[in-house]
Amino acid sequence: MKVIVAQNETELFRLAADLVEAEVRADPACCLGLATGSSPVGMYKELARRCREEGLDFSKVSSVNLDEYAGLPGEHDQSYRYFMNNELFDHINIDKANTYVAKGVGDIEENLREFRAVIASKTRAIQVLGIGPDGHIAFNEPGEQLYYHAHRETLDESTIDANARFFASRDDVPREALTMGIGEIMEAKKLLTIIGGSRKEAAATKLLLTDEITTACPVTMIKVHPDSTVLLTKELADKIGYKG
Ligand code: F6R
């Protein structure tokens, strides 16, 4: 696992965008695995700038997202489909028909079948990940076991707390989500994990300062991926005592 400590957030987002840009330049028709949440937002802004000002071309790129809340339609302003349109797709020249975010409403089992089939049909050049305060990646929450394939997951109380900031009230946060499984995440050729936002110290410590690989902290699974890069700021590295 390669760990990069950025001097500040601006540098972190620039470095993250560099890694995604390299994939798009190498194969203009590549598939990107994307994430929502606050961690990748700065990187998406930088990619949009490069598209606008430097001609970075997404016209042939496709994408698959990690997850979607169960119960929220794509038009809901807290759905992950809405988030992706708003934070990235509306600002780059990607064909939205080539972007996939699992459907949160309707027949969830059928939606999961479709989600698994889409994942299986694409080779993701790189999968972007953020991490939850409890160490989740996508919505794979800590527990006795993790799952290989896309499935329905009940969100942990700490995840509901963390995501409540985006909703009018905590009660409005959906309790379930459709999430890519750990095995499917590992199938991406490269992983790019951005540790941003607050309350990530405990999970970052497990990831960076221990040798553990444990279902109690799902992000530790990325240690076994053959091409896994983690990006964090110097501020967080200093806080947890990570020296490289
Ligand atoms: C989002 C996702 C989640 C977030 C994680 C961190 O698609 O898969 O695992 O990456 O909850 O969220 P932020 O970045 O908001 O701290």
Side-chain angles (χ1 to χ4, degrees):
M1 193 171 71
K2 185 174 172 194
V3 183
I4 303 174
V5 178
Q7 285 309 308
N8 50 46
E9 280 202 330
T10 311
E11 187 185 59
L12 183 147
F13 295 135
R14 188 171 51 70
L15 291 170
D18 286 350
L19 294 174
V20 174
E21 172 169 355
E23 297 306 321
V24 176
R25 297 257 184 224
D27 176 8
C30 70
C31 178
L32 302 175
L34 299 176
T36 62
S38 51
S39 301
V41 167
M43 177 187 76
Y44 292 153
K45 280 199 169 61
E46 176 60 13
L47 288 171
R49 188 196 65 74
R50 292 180 192 190
C51 177
R52 205 170 50 241
E53 295 176 12
E54 296 171 4
L56 181 59
D57 183 14
F58 290 89
S59 61
K60 298 192 186 68
V61 168
S62 62
S63 69
V64 183
N65 259 78
L66 286 172
D67 39 23
E68 179 59 283
Y69 285 120
L72 298 192
E75 307 75 48
H76 190 287
D77 65 3
Q78 291 308 328
S79 74
Y80 285 169
R81 161 51 74 184
Y82 187 97
F83 176 102
M84 288 310 302
N85 289 348
N86 206 36
E87 298 293 343
L88 184 65
F89 300 150
D90 286 343
H91 310 287
I92 60 175
N93 65 334
I94 200 165
D95 179 351
K96 273 195 205 146
N98 294 331
T99 68
Y100 185 83
V101 183
K103 295 188 190 84
V105 291
D107 180 341
I108 298 293
E109 290 310 314
E110 182 50 41
N111 297 352
L112 284 170
R113 268 192 290 278
E114 181 183 275
F115 191 11
R116 290 182 203 123
V118 171
I119 295 166
S121 72
K122 307 256 183 194
T123 303
R124 278 155 292 141
I126 191 163
Q127 176 64 61
V128 178
L129 297 169
I131 73 174
D134 62 0
H136 70 231
I137 48 175
F139 275 127
N140 295 279
E141 297 284 22
E144 276 180 27
Q145 64 275 306
L146 297 168
Y147 297 94
Y148 192 101
H149 291 104
H151 59 283
R152 191 175 184 148
E153 185 95 17
T154 302
L155 306 190
D156 277 4
E157 291 300 316
S158 74
T159 302
I160 296 168
D161 288 343
N163 291 1
R165 68 192 194 279
F166 299 114
F167 291 81
S169 83
R170 190 181 187 282
D171 288 346
D172 294 335
V173 184
R175 270 34 185 179
E176 290 188 328
L178 291 76
T179 182
M180 196 181 282
I182 290 287
E184 292 162 333
I185 290 172
M186 295 293 154
E187 285 173 358
K189 284 190 179 164
K190 297 180 184 176
L191 300 182
L192 167 57
T193 305
I194 301 172
I195 313 183
S198 58
R199 300 195 294 127
K200 306 295 169 71
E201 290 81 359
T205 299
K206 266 268 191 274
L207 177 65
L208 301 175
L209 297 175
T210 80
D211 201 34
E212 285 177 43
I213 297 165
T214 169
T215 60
C217 185
V219 69
T220 58
M221 298 291 155
I222 69 169
K223 294 179 192 184
V224 300
H225 191 284
D227 194 339
S228 179
T229 302
V230 176
L231 268 167
L232 72 161
T233 59
K234 183 169 183 312
E235 189 186 349
L236 178 60
D238 287 349
K239 222 185 250 179
I240 63 170
Y242 176 76
K243 308 239 185 300

